[in-house]
Amino acid sequence: MTDTTPEAVAQPASAGRVGVFVLRLLSALLVPIVAFALLWVTFDYLRDENANRFIVVGVALVVGVGGVFFLYWGANRVIEFLPERVREGVRPYVFVGPCLVILAVFLVYPVINTILISFKDARSESFVGLANYRFVFTDHDMLTAIRNTAAWIVIVPFFGVTIGLAFATLADRLRRGEAIAKSAIFLPMAISFAGASITWRLIYDFRPEGFGSNIGLLNGISIGLGQDPVAWLTLQPWNNLFLMVILVWIQTGFAMVVLSAAIKAIPDEIIEAARIDGASEMQVFRRIIVPSILPTIVVVTTYMVINALKVFDIVFIMGNAESDGTVVIAERMIDWFFSSRNFGRGAAIAVVLFVVIVPVMIWNVKRFREEELTR
């Protein structure tokens, strides 16, 4: 005879709940552990120099994506065991936590380590105090690099934004072919700095007499006009301007696209009202368009300033920076750290560059937040 008392019915139900709880607990704890172990074994395999490269790429994609998925899934399972009143308060931190760890490992730690290295000697074996920073601000090439970099962060953003704004305004008036015109101007953005440098190296190319014909575009024009060919990249101090033209050429398309979008966001009623009141096109541009898109102009300018501070590829590829007088801070950092293997000086230059860029970023973020609050 079957026992149907409440106690007998409750006993299997209670055992079932315990079993489910144990399974949930095991899945919540084992999944992260197994996923972590799998990732650890995978990393060992990826470091194997004899492994097939295609298999390595496949394993990295499968295990990387799958491992991250199961890590987050397991973490979410653990959260489900917490009391309901604290569960939702903890969940965001659990999901943001790995991102913070990755940020700390790949950003915060390198910054701190670079600062420490900047106080050490060439091989990072002993502390030398401020000797490396003294070198940064007293060495002739470093002073030239600082001067050239200052010129880059003034000239490149000024001409890049100005030309981009002009193109954006003119392209906005096209009735046909606006997309084609903008695409053609934006196209250099698709080229890497190295690729653009090689392209412009052909334009500036110079060959002395006896070393073949001059194939450079500028020298071809000069010879066609009856002039002698010119070694453009060694013509100091104008060679710095010739290199800046490359970055302006690359960045102008970006400025045009962003500023054009800002111009299109201006209500047509405002512009039409100004025209009805008798304002000329130049007055509309100066008094309405430019003030309306000023926050966007600031953002684009900041972006170009940061790129100008970090420029290295162009200077490195276009010739001998030291003999031509085209050295910049980023180029000096790479040269001292990797070519000369002087880690202390290279790190000191990197810290100086970092200190210069951070205020620009903070100011840009502050302005962005202010603009968000006014919307």
Side-chain angles (χ1 to χ4, degrees), residues 143-165:
L143 294 177
T144 302
I146 294 173
R147 181 197 66 199
N148 291 342
T149 302
W152 276 78
I153 64 177
V154 172
I155 295 174
V156 170
F158 175 79
F159 283 99
V161 173
T162 301
I163 298 174
L165 180 58

Side-chain angles (χ1 to χ4, degrees), residues 16-28:
R17 284 195 297 269
V18 172
V20 172
F21 176 80
V22 172
L23 290 176
R24 292 176 62 189
L25 180 62
L26 289 176
S27 64

Side-chain angles (χ1 to χ4, degrees), residues 267-279:
D268 294 334
E269 295 80 5
I270 299 177
I271 297 178
E272 290 300 327
R275 289 170 178 167
I276 292 173
D277 289 340

Side-chain angles (χ1 to χ4, degrees), residues 68-112:
V68 171
F69 170 78
F70 281 108
L71 280 175
Y72 277 104
W73 182 80
N76 186 65
R77 297 284 295 177
V78 172
I79 294 173
E80 295 298 329
F81 288 97
L82 297 175
E84 187 175 356
R85 57 188 178 85
V86 299
R87 186 182 304 163
E88 296 306 320
V90 173
R91 195 188 305 273
Y93 294 95
V94 173
F95 281 91
V96 173
C99 299
L100 296 178
V101 172
I102 293 174
L103 185 65
V105 171
F106 292 101
L107 182 61
V108 177
Y109 169 73
V111 169
I112 296 175

Side-chain angles (χ1 to χ4, degrees), residues 83-145:
E84 187 175 356
R85 57 188 178 85
V86 299
R87 186 182 304 163
E88 296 306 320
V90 173
R91 195 188 305 273
Y93 294 95
V94 173
F95 281 91
V96 173
C99 299
L100 296 178
V101 172
I102 293 174
L103 185 65
V105 171
F106 292 101
L107 182 61
V108 177
Y109 169 73
V111 169
I112 296 175
N113 190 46
T114 302
I115 293 174
L116 294 176
I117 293 175
S118 68
F119 293 103
K120 298 182 179 181
D121 61 3
R123 295 295 175 263
S124 301
E125 295 173 352
S126 59
F127 281 92
V128 294
L130 298 175
N132 293 322
Y133 291 96
R134 192 178 303 112
F135 160 81
V136 171
F137 294 105
T138 57
D139 179 74
H140 176 266
D141 284 339
M142 281 305 308
L143 294 177
T144 302

Side-chain angles (χ1 to χ4, degrees), residues 19-70:
V20 172
F21 176 80
V22 172
L23 290 176
R24 292 176 62 189
L25 180 62
L26 289 176
S27 64
L29 295 178
L30 288 179
V31 168
I33 294 174
V34 172
F36 180 79
L38 182 61
L39 290 174
W40 185 272
V41 174
T42 302
F43 291 151
D44 284 339
Y45 174 75
L46 295 179
R47 290 195 294 265
D48 186 3
E49 296 180 355
N50 299 321
N52 185 282
R53 295 295 95 186
F54 291 100
I55 298 178
V56 166
V57 172
V59 170
L61 290 174
V62 174
V63 178
V65 176
V68 171
F69 170 78
F70 281 108

Side-chain angles (χ1 to χ4, degrees), residues 232-245:
W232 302 99
L233 297 179
T234 60
L235 192 63
Q236 300 186 32
W238 305 107
N239 51 359
N240 284 286
L241 295 176
F242 299 150
L243 299 187
M244 295 176 195
V245 168

